[in-house]
């Protein structure tokens, strides 16, 4: 398949919440339990077709360690959407979501496409964060919320398609606004040009009278 319009999706969350395995599950449709720690960034691509249009999804995997947060901050502004993830078995990863959201909101507007995921629901016996707590957090930031499992694949495809749909809508809205602004700018320039022509004519007429 030829490459379609590229949509850049950034994954954010603490170290070891399952970002890398989530991306592999979505792009390669397989579960990889062990994975080398991401240092900096890694990108995996997936081509999809939605409503007869091709899209190339670029999933950007980020390291979740604190020392890499400043690096992630620099790429947030270039992303089209964000997967924000915590591990339901680790309270600290859930508590860190507010800090990640703070970083995002410093760069992107409130309506920027984000989906919140509570990952590793296959480890139910080790759960620290209830589904209700995840829903409350999502409501706080007005985000769509899913609980996911890299192992079983539960809600992997669904959550990604939800985010992709929101990205497409946001990009369409942005293009319409840019088109409208350009039209208004051209109209303003045309009006200014007409105004200058009238002033020039008025000045020329005054010059003729003085003769």
């Amino acid at each position: 398949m030829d490459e379609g319009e590229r949509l850049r999706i950034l994954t954010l969350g603490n170290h070891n919440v399952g970002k890398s395995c989530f991306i592999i599950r979505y792009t390669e449709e397989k579960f990889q339990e062990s994975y080398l720690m991401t240092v900096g960034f890694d990108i995996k691509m997936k081509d999809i077709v939605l409503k007869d249009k091709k899209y190339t999804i670029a999933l950007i995997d980020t390291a979740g360690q604190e020392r890499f947060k400043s690096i992630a901050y620099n790429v947030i502004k270039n992303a089209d959407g964000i997967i924000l993830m915590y591990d339901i078995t680790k309270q600290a990863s859930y508590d860190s979501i507010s800090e990640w959201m703070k970083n995002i909101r410093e760069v992107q507007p409130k309506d920027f496409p984000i989906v919140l995921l509570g990952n590793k629901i296959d480890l139910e016996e080790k759960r620290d964060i209830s589904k209700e707590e995840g829903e409350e957090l999502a409501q706080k930031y007005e985000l769509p919320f899913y609980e996911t499992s890299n192992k079983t694949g539960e809600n992997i495809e669904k959550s990604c398609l939800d985010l992709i749909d929101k990205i497409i809508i946001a990009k369409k809205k942005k293009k319409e606004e840019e088109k409208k602004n350009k039209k208004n700018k051209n109209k303003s320039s045309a009006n200014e040009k007409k105004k200058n022509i009238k002033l020039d004519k008025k000045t020329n007429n005054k010059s003729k009278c003085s003769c």
Side-chain angles (χ1 to χ4, degrees), residues 8 15 42 134 141 190 202:
R8 294 159 298 185
H15 170 57
D42 187 22
Y141 294 110
K202 192 174 180 180

Side-chain angles (χ1 to χ4, degrees), residues 1-58:
M1 181 186 290
D2 295 332
E3 184 173 305
E5 180 182 355
R6 182 171 295 194
L7 305 180
R8 294 159 298 185
I9 297 177
L10 184 65
T11 60
L12 292 178
N14 284 11
H15 170 57
N16 207 31
V17 297
K19 299 187 299 295
S20 301
C21 292
F22 178 93
I23 290 174
I24 290 173
R25 183 76 195 202
Y26 178 66
T27 57
E28 302 177 25
E29 298 181 4
K30 68 179 183 181
F31 175 57
Q32 188 167 320
E33 191 163 5
S34 59
Y35 194 83
L36 293 174
M37 183 184 75
T38 304
V39 178
F41 300 97
D42 187 22
I43 300 176
K44 288 192 178 295
M45 317 289 278
K46 181 172 182 174
D47 293 317
I48 64 170
V49 176
L50 291 175
K51 298 177 181 178
D52 298 322
K53 185 173 180 180
K54 295 177 183 178
Y55 295 94
T56 296
I57 312 302

Side-chain angles (χ1 to χ4, degrees), residues 100-194:
W100 286 109
M101 280 302 301
K102 181 182 176 182
N103 290 342
I104 295 168
R105 290 277 165 84
E106 286 176 356
V107 182
Q108 296 289 2
K110 189 177 180 180
D111 60 352
F112 181 76
I114 305 170
V115 63
L116 177 65
L117 304 183
N119 196 31
K120 302 187 183 181
I121 56 171
D122 50 283
L123 301 177
E124 184 62 35
E125 70 282 359
K126 296 181 180 179
R127 181 189 283 271
D128 277 343
I129 313 300
S130 68
K131 186 176 181 180
E132 290 71 26
E133 287 176 292
E135 290 171 339
E136 287 174 8
L137 187 61
Q139 288 174 7
K140 177 182 177 180
Y141 294 110
E142 300 179 14
L143 306 176
F145 171 70
Y146 295 89
E147 286 198 328
T148 56
S149 169
N150 297 334
K151 188 172 185 177
T152 67
E154 186 172 348
N155 285 332
I156 301 292
E157 183 86 9
K158 189 175 181 180
S159 59
C160 285
L161 288 177
D162 189 357
L163 179 60
I164 290 166
D165 186 56
K166 285 176 171 54
I167 291 171
I168 293 170
I169 292 170
K171 287 174 79 70
K172 184 179 178 181
K173 182 180 177 182
K174 186 178 179 181
K175 285 181 180 178
E176 288 173 350
E177 288 175 350
E178 288 174 349
K179 187 177 180 181
K180 185 179 178 180
N181 290 336
K182 186 178 180 180
K183 186 177 179 181
N184 290 336
K185 187 178 179 180
N186 290 339
K187 187 177 179 181
S188 179
S189 297
N191 289 337
E192 187 66 27
K193 189 175 181 180
K194 286 180 181 179

Side-chain angles (χ1 to χ4, degrees), residues 52-113:
D52 298 322
K53 185 173 180 180
K54 295 177 183 178
Y55 295 94
T56 296
I57 312 302
L59 284 134
I60 306 166
D61 188 9
T62 61
Q65 298 93 322
E66 290 294 326
R67 68 181 183 276
F68 289 120
K69 280 191 178 182
S70 59
I71 302 174
Y73 178 90
N74 290 328
V75 296
I76 289 172
K77 61 184 177 182
N78 294 318
D80 295 311
I82 290 175
I83 293 171
L84 188 55
M85 187 183 297
Y86 66 88
D87 180 345
I88 67 160
T89 72
K90 294 180 180 177
Q91 182 70 43
S93 68
Y94 174 86
D95 294 339
S96 292
I97 293 297
S98 59
E99 185 64 26
W100 286 109
M101 280 302 301
K102 181 182 176 182
N103 290 342
I104 295 168
R105 290 277 165 84
E106 286 176 356
V107 182
Q108 296 289 2
K110 189 177 180 180
D111 60 352
F112 181 76

